[in-house]
Amino acid sequence: AQPAARIVNINVNNLNFTRGTSNFNGGSITVSGGGALTLSNSALYGNDSNNPGGGLRCESGCTANLTNVTIYGNSSPNGGGIRNEGTVTATNCTLTGNSGSFGNGGVQNSGTFNIRNTIIAGNSAFFANTSDVSGVFASQGNNLIGKTDGTNGFTQTGDQTGTVAAPLDARLAPLGNYGGKTLTHALLDGGAIPSPAINAGTATGAPSTDQRGAARVGVVDIGAFEVNNTANSGSFVAVLPVGSQIIPYLAQITANNGAFTYSVSSGTLPNGISLTTNVAPTAIVALSGTATQNGIFNFAITATNGANSNVTNYSVQFLGPSSAGVSISGRVLTPDGNGVRNAIVQLTDLQGNTRTFRTGSFGYYRFDDVEAGQTYVLGVASKRYVFTPRTISVSDELTEVDLVAEAP
């Protein structure tokens, strides 16, 4: 688990925050009193705290501005997603799947909470009859709140609300890689009853793109995800990491398929690569295998729970083995970051063929004309320091591959 971060003043963009734990603060991020946080195009998921605010805690006197942020699967005694005592402004955010052991699993608010185009739904608590939110909110319109029992403020134009007795289902696909640098929840746009978040937002104050960087299409959708695919005349394509022939490939789509099934609904995958929902060790949904073709492959994956579905357009490139060389370079360093002179760097392929390079005054090394599509072991021989060999897979130029000596 990763430690929680205490924030004073910071601007954060395009990051995943996960596995944070805390006994005293927010599970992932705590904004101190008097501090300020601007968080955009990011995800907070899988964090835990023994105090309120599993994903984010904004202390009294703090300011937190959230835009295009997904907060999922966090837990705490109360306010599993967010605990606010200061001032929070949330625009086009999605909070779902968070849990509270005693109070609500979504947002516990005792400060000022400005909210627009935001989903807070599908959160849970130990006590079943619990709202997704608690406190008084300053709605700026067009929010989707699953259960609002005992909460004030969601009465503006475009607000959609449900109750404990009749919760409002946001109809979201599992947290996954639908494009961009961070994880999101796709809106289910196909089927008998599409997500009520689709085309239900307001352009006033909304960002021009969603959390992934996909352009808003037509009327703005509520939440951090905008439906932008071929099914609705959009053009966004999720680009997966580059792969290489010979080297086994794995690109995760979702961490858990849950009640959903996935299929390649158009386009083609390269020979040797398949979409699977049982990749060990946690039954993730992923593209996996070893490609026997190279090139750029475009395809669509449809996720469905039987009643509703979502289509995501993907693209992936596979590089072929090539004798046309790429280069590998970096530095050999002491434990405290100084260059190691006269160290012998060894590059060994899987057939046992070895090339060597002697470092200069500042520890730099470089191998040119390295065959791509192969796996190599980098080792260092030095009189003064011990180095652990490093295995690398080469599909393109590699720079700043630094080799650091073990601490004494």
Side-chain angles (χ1 to χ4, degrees):
Q2 304 298 317
R6 176 173 280 275
I7 301 299
V8 179
N9 292 282
I10 194 169
N11 189 325
V12 180
N13 184 44
N14 280 319
L15 284 180
N16 288 313
F17 294 82
T18 187
R19 296 187 298 144
T21 60
S22 175
N23 289 323
F24 305 103
N25 303 308
S28 180
I29 298 175
T30 296
V31 187
S32 303
L37 167 69
T38 298
L39 182 65
S40 56
N41 306 313
S42 296
L44 285 67
Y45 63 97
N47 303 289
D48 176 74
S49 176
N50 288 329
N51 272 337
L56 169 68
R57 181 167 185 168
C58 184
E59 296 181 341
S60 178
C62 94
T63 301
N65 294 307
L66 313 178
T67 303
N68 282 338
V69 174
T70 294
I71 300 178
Y72 166 80
N74 305 286
S75 62
S76 73
N78 203 340
I82 297 175
R83 162 60 176 164
N84 175 48
E85 302 157 8
T87 300
V88 170
T89 299
T91 305
N92 283 95
C93 296
T94 298
L95 290 84
T96 188
N98 303 288
S99 62
S101 53
F102 295 102
N104 75 71
V107 177
Q108 182 192 39
N109 175 49
S110 61
T112 299
F113 204 112
N114 306 303
I115 182 168
R116 173 192 285 124
N117 282 355
T118 289
I119 296 171
I120 309 176
N123 302 286
S124 63
F126 177 79
F127 299 102
N129 296 325
T130 304
S131 175
D132 283 291
V133 288
S134 64
V136 178
F137 289 76
S139 172
Q140 297 169 350
N142 302 84
N143 300 291
L144 191 161
I145 313 299
K147 297 168 289 186
T148 58
D149 305 58
T151 304
N152 296 319
F154 294 104
T155 58
Q156 300 302 307
T157 301
D159 282 342
Q160 303 179 56
T161 60
T163 64
V164 169
L168 181 59
D169 187 353
R171 301 185 187 278
L172 306 174
L175 185 76
N177 178 2
Y178 303 99
K181 298 179 180 180
T182 56
L183 302 181
T184 52
H185 284 280
L187 299 176
L188 297 175
D189 61 317
I193 308 176
S195 169
I198 295 173
N199 295 334
T202 174
T204 301
S208 60
T209 60
D210 72 1
Q211 183 179 321
R212 305 169 298 161
R216 301 281 174 182
V217 177
V219 179
V220 171
D221 294 342
I222 298 175
F225 185 95
E226 178 79 14
V227 177
N228 182 332
N229 56 27
T230 53
N232 78 330
S233 301
S235 59
F236 181 76
V237 175
V239 179
L240 293 173
V242 173
S244 176
Q245 287 183 252
I246 301 176
I247 301 173
Y249 184 78
L250 180 68
Q252 180 173 308
I253 305 300
T254 68
N256 193 319
N257 57 321
F260 283 74
T261 58
Y262 294 78
S263 62
V264 176
S265 50
S266 67
T268 57
L269 299 177
N271 292 336
I273 299 295
S274 62
L275 177 66
T276 179
T277 58
N278 61 355
V279 177
T282 57
I284 66 174
V285 179
L287 291 188
S288 63
T290 302
T292 59
Q293 292 178 280
N294 58 50
I296 296 175
F297 298 84
N298 299 304
F299 54 96
I301 294 177
T302 296
T304 179
N305 60 4
N308 296 104
S309 62
N310 170 265
V311 178
T312 304
N313 302 109
Y314 290 95
S315 179
V316 64
Q317 180 179 15
F318 283 89
L319 304 175
S322 172
S323 58
V326 298
S327 66
I328 303 171
S329 62
R331 295 181 70 193
V332 178
L333 302 171
T334 66
D336 54 2
N338 295 316
V340 178
R341 183 178 182 180
N342 288 330
I344 304 299
V345 183
Q346 301 167 327
L347 180 71
T348 305
D349 63 23
L350 296 183
Q351 288 73 46
N353 303 307
T354 298
R355 298 168 58 182
T356 62
F357 188 102
R358 184 183 296 272
T359 61
S361 300
F362 300 101
Y364 286 98
Y365 76 89
R366 181 183 180 93
F367 293 99
D368 292 314
D369 295 323
V370 177
E371 183 178 350
Q374 303 287 340
T375 298
Y376 297 89
V377 177
L378 275 171
V380 179
S382 171
K383 293 181 179 179
R384 296 184 57 192
Y385 300 99
V386 175
F387 294 81
T388 300
R390 180 173 175 181
T391 301
I392 57 173
S393 296
V394 179
S395 59
D396 205 345
E397 200 98 347
L398 294 177
T399 61
E400 299 182 3
V401 183
D402 295 338
L403 305 168
V404 182
E406 297 180 10

